[in-house]
Amino acid sequence: AQTVTQSQPEMSVQEAETVTLSCTYDTSESDYYLFWYKQPPSRQMILVIRQEAYKQQNATENRFSVNFQKAAKSFSLKISDSQLGDAAMYFCAYRSAGGYQAGTALIFGKGTTLSVSS
Amino acid sequence: DVKVTQSSRYLVKRTGEKVFLECVQDMDHENMFWYRQDPGLGLRLIYFSYDVKMKEKGDIPEGYSVSREKKERFSLILESASTNQTSMYLCASSPGDIKAIQYFGAGTRLSVL
């Protein structure tokens, strides 16, 4: 079974600084998708970024980028120029690409709470 | 914009009550999901559905059932609520495309007293 591990329960960063959230996963599959979701205090889960395992290029979305190391099974999220609005819980998630029904559910890590100070 | 609506933000029920949590999506998505979120445990899948009247158990289905009579609506049922079911419940939906992302509702915080 696949597992996702976020080893940092809490992180903090100052405004305008850069922070990196860690995520490792365990799988025997070769094709899969990885995600970072953000959950602010409003509780609405929002997709931050997505990575397809067969793509070697790291995904980027504005100030958010990932460092995807397939061999090491590592998928870290870098937030540049941190803003107060980035304060939230961040979840790393895995989804298999094989098997239509079995593959659609997400497997989540336990989350990292990010605080941003001014 | 995709909208996933959960009928209640907060709910307080008594032990032994039958509880219905409702979720509606407006984008004609094939897949719908119920997750449970607890501090320190992340999100865990309870059930998901890939079509009307079709359902699959997730990681923690015990004590729960689901119903999907219409494509847009996915209900989570607690047949006899217990205090250990006090939690945050999140509904999500996604299109059938394997590359598609999941869209989440705002969650229902359920307290069972």
Side-chain angles (χ1 to χ4, degrees):
Chain A
Q2 296 82 18
T3 58
V4 176
T5 301
Q6 294 178 249
S7 58
Q8 308 152 317
E10 296 178 350
M11 292 282 285
S12 61
V13 65
Q14 293 221 315
E15 263 188 306
E17 298 294 308
T18 295
V19 65
T20 299
L21 308 184
S22 301
C23 173
T24 58
Y25 58 94
D26 189 26
T27 184
S28 59
E29 298 174 330
S30 59
D31 197 12
Y32 49 86
Y33 302 91
L34 296 165
F35 306 83
W36 279 98
Y37 276 89
K38 169 185 176 181
Q39 186 180 43
S42 67
R43 304 186 332 213
Q44 186 77 49
M45 293 275 277
I46 304 163
L47 178 71
V48 175
I49 203 164
R50 173 179 59 180
Q51 176 78 42
E52 299 175 42
Y54 62 87
K55 289 187 177 179
Q56 292 186 336
Q57 187 173 6
N58 289 326
T60 61
E61 287 288 341
N62 300 314
R63 297 182 295 107
F64 299 87
S65 62
V66 299
N67 183 5
F68 173 49
Q69 302 286 331
K70 191 172 184 179
K73 298 179 183 175
S74 171
F75 182 61
S76 60
L77 175 70
K78 185 171 82 171
I79 306 173
S80 304
D81 186 26
S82 296
Q83 300 174 359
L84 293 176
D86 294 333
M89 180 165 278
Y90 288 80
F91 290 96
C92 178
Y94 170 103
R95 189 178 74 201
S96 170
Y100 175 75
Q101 292 161 13
T104 54
L106 291 168
I107 300 168
F108 286 88
K110 295 181 179 181
T112 296
T113 300
L114 177 66
S115 57
V116 182
S117 55
S118 55
Chain B
D1 280 353
V2 175
K3 196 160 186 181
V4 180
T5 303
Q6 294 185 231
S7 54
S8 304
R9 291 272 288 178
Y10 300 93
L11 211 52
V12 180
K13 295 293 181 181
R14 297 283 183 189
T15 302
E17 278 193 76
K18 189 168 186 176
V19 181
F20 292 86
L21 302 184
E22 307 287 346
C23 176
V24 177
Q25 49 95 2
D26 65 355
M27 285 302 292
D28 202 36
H29 286 171
E30 286 79 7
N31 301 319
M32 295 189 75
F33 309 82
W34 275 106
Y35 293 92
R36 171 175 169 159
Q37 182 178 3
D38 298 290
L41 296 178
L43 279 75
R44 295 176 291 168
L45 181 68
I46 305 172
Y47 268 97
F48 72 97
S49 168
Y50 51 91
D51 201 351
V52 175
K53 296 189 185 295
M54 306 304 288
K55 60 186 179 185
E56 290 285 337
K57 292 181 180 179
D59 299 319
I60 52 166
E62 297 78 18
Y64 304 95
S65 62
V66 290
S67 172
R68 193 166 180 203
E69 296 297 319
K70 293 185 178 181
K71 192 174 185 180
E72 68 270 19
R73 186 181 296 270
F74 191 37
S75 302
L76 180 69
I77 303 159
L78 287 65
E79 295 288 343
S80 178
S82 64
T83 55
N84 62 13
Q85 292 178 310
T86 291
S87 186
M88 171 79 77
Y89 292 88
L90 291 170
C91 175
S93 73
S94 71
D97 180 356
I98 192 65
K99 292 186 177 182
I101 66 171
Q102 290 186 17
Y103 298 88
F104 284 81
T108 295
R109 188 175 296 281
L110 172 68
S111 296
V112 182
L113 306 178

